[in-house]
Amino acid sequence: TKRTIYYLLFSSMTSPSLTIGTALLAFSPTLTLLFLIILPKPQLTILSVVAAFAYLLSAFGSSLIWLIFNAIFQFTNRNQENSIGALLALTVPSVLMQWFVRMQFVKLYFGVEDVIRKSVAKHEAEESMDVTTNNTTNNTTGTQQQQQQHAETNALQLQLNDLSCSLASGTG
C-alpha cells in the first residue's frame, strides 16, 4: 500500500518537488488564513468548523438531489447520452441547496449573535444593580468599578467583526 500511495502521489510524470509545490500553491492562501487569523481565536475556530459542517450538509443534500434526478433521467433516457437539460436539472437544484444551507447558516449566526448581545446586556444590568448596592457599603471609586465591569463585559462578548467572521466562514 505504501508503494501505491507513493506511485499515486509521485508518478513518473511528476517529481516530488512539483507535487509538493503545486499543493503549497493551491492551499497556501487557505492555510495562511487558517493559521494566522482563525486558529488564534477560539470563536473563529468554532465558526469555521460550523461553516464546514454547513458546507458538508449542502453537499450531502446536493448529492441526494443528484442521485434522485440522475435515476429519473437514466430511466427516461435509457440508451441516450445525458442531455444539456438533464445536466441543468442536476446543477440548478444543487446550487439552490447550497444557497439555502448557507442562508440558514447566516441566520443561525445572527441568532447566536443576538442571544449573546441579550446575555451581555442582562449581565451589565445585573452588574449595575450590584454596583449601586456596593457603592453604599464600599469606599471604591466609580471608575474602578466601571473598569471591572467593562473587563467582565469584554470577556463575555465575542470579539468578532464582520471581516474575521466572513474569513472564518469562508475558510470553513
Side-chain angles (χ1 to χ4, degrees):
T1 60
K2 280 187 174 182
R3 179 177 267 172
T4 306
I5 292 172
Y6 181 81
Y7 180 74
L8 288 175
L9 290 176
F10 309 114
S11 64
S12 61
M13 295 189 67
T14 62
S15 66
S17 60
L18 181 63
T19 303
I20 293 169
T22 54
L24 285 175
L25 185 65
F27 297 116
S28 63
T30 304
L31 290 175
T32 301
L33 289 174
L34 183 70
F35 287 121
L36 294 180
I37 296 174
I38 296 167
L39 287 180
K41 294 183 179 180
Q43 299 96 341
L44 290 179
T45 304
I46 293 169
L47 188 64
S48 181
V49 169
V50 172
F53 182 72
Y55 175 75
L56 288 176
L57 282 178
S58 69
F60 176 70
S62 297
S63 298
L64 286 179
I65 290 172
W66 182 85
L67 186 66
I68 293 168
F69 281 177
N70 192 33
I72 291 170
F73 286 118
Q74 282 184 354
F75 182 74
T76 57
N77 300 333
R78 291 184 186 211
N79 294 327
Q80 298 176 0
E81 296 279 327
N82 282 340
S83 65
I84 293 292
L87 294 176
L88 284 176
L90 295 173
T91 304
V92 172
S94 296
V95 169
L96 291 176
M97 176 62 76
Q98 288 189 8
W99 170 76
F100 176 74
V101 171
R102 286 182 186 196
M103 195 157 61
Q104 294 303 315
F105 170 73
V106 170
K107 186 177 175 182
L108 174 73
Y109 172 74
F110 284 133
V112 168
E113 241 183 11
D114 189 41
V115 167
I116 290 172
R117 270 194 220 108
K118 287 179 183 176
S119 173
V120 168
K122 181 180 175 186
H123 177 73
E124 286 176 347
E126 290 173 356
E127 285 295 316
S128 67
M129 293 294 274
D130 289 343
V131 165
T132 56
T133 58
N134 287 340
N135 255 354
T136 58
T137 59
N138 294 340
N139 290 333
T140 57
T141 63
T143 56
Q144 289 175 344
Q145 290 175 351
Q146 284 179 348
Q147 289 174 352
Q148 291 173 353
Q149 182 180 358
H150 287 301
E152 287 182 19
T153 300
N154 288 339
L156 289 174
Q157 257 182 335
L158 289 177
Q159 298 296 324
L160 304 175
N161 58 27
D162 292 336
L163 180 61
S164 62
C165 290
S166 62
L167 284 175
S169 299
T171 303

